[in-house]
Amino acid sequence: MSMKLKHKQAYMRTAEVFSQCSVGERLKVGAVIVKGNNIQAVGYNGLPVGIDGPLEDENGVTRPEVRHAEMNALFGVMKSNNSSIGSSVFCTHACCRKCAVEMVDAGVVEFYYQHPYRDSSGLSYLEENGVKVHRMA
């Protein structure tokens, strides 16, 4: 069963809202995992539990321990009774390759994004592994 456009738009708006929870200066990214027209988990780019502070160092470079929105959403699914197998991910930005690898392993079947990322290898990886990729305007 195909997802209605109004629902896709609502999930993307939800990802946008959660992106604003990020303390990132350079980029605020939000992600929503949806399965069966139900939200399974949400995430935004941030630091792991127990670590506080900015996402960028004094030179404006992203700290290595920062988790991307997609990974935080996948961790949310893992901590719940939900499953990401057969799910769709709505993300404000295109994914990096590392997140793409994790989403494929987690059983994600569709990836929706709004804004491109400086490196498109993540999107290529998704497509090469059977994940349908959609850019939403």
Side-chain angles (χ1 to χ4, degrees):
M1 186 171 115
S2 180
M3 196 181 307
K4 293 180 179 178
L5 177 60
K6 67 181 179 181
H7 293 150
K8 292 176 187 176
Q9 292 168 333
Y11 295 134
M12 189 59 76
R13 284 193 307 272
T14 303
E16 291 169 2
V17 168
F18 273 92
S19 75
Q20 295 308 304
C21 294
S22 174
V23 298
E25 292 291 325
R26 283 189 18 214
L27 195 60
K28 294 177 185 293
V29 181
V32 177
I33 299 176
V34 177
K35 183 176 175 183
N37 218 27
N38 292 301
I39 293 175
Q40 304 296 296
V42 298
Y44 53 89
N45 56 324
L47 294 166
V49 174
I51 301 176
D52 290 322
L55 302 191
E56 297 86 8
D57 65 19
E58 60 278 353
N59 298 315
V61 176
T62 301
R63 293 169 56 184
E65 59 270 25
V66 168
R67 288 211 182 114
H68 292 184
E70 305 93 304
M71 288 305 303
N72 277 327
L74 287 172
F75 283 129
V77 170
M78 287 189 274
K79 293 177 185 176
S80 72
N81 291 325
N82 297 328
S83 171
S84 57
I85 297 171
S87 66
S88 299
V89 173
F90 291 81
C91 193
T92 56
H93 293 74
C95 63
C96 70
R97 188 173 182 88
K98 183 177 178 185
C99 287
V101 169
E102 299 299 337
M103 286 189 286
V104 167
D105 283 352
V108 171
V109 297
E110 287 189 294
F111 182 77
Y112 295 85
Y113 73 100
Q114 277 188 313
H115 307 288
Y117 184 63
R118 65 180 176 265
D119 176 5
S120 63
S121 66
L123 297 179
S124 298
Y125 185 87
L126 291 176
E127 290 173 333
E128 290 164 8
N129 286 279
V131 177
K132 294 178 183 167
V133 175
H134 312 275
R135 183 166 184 195
M136 294 180 67

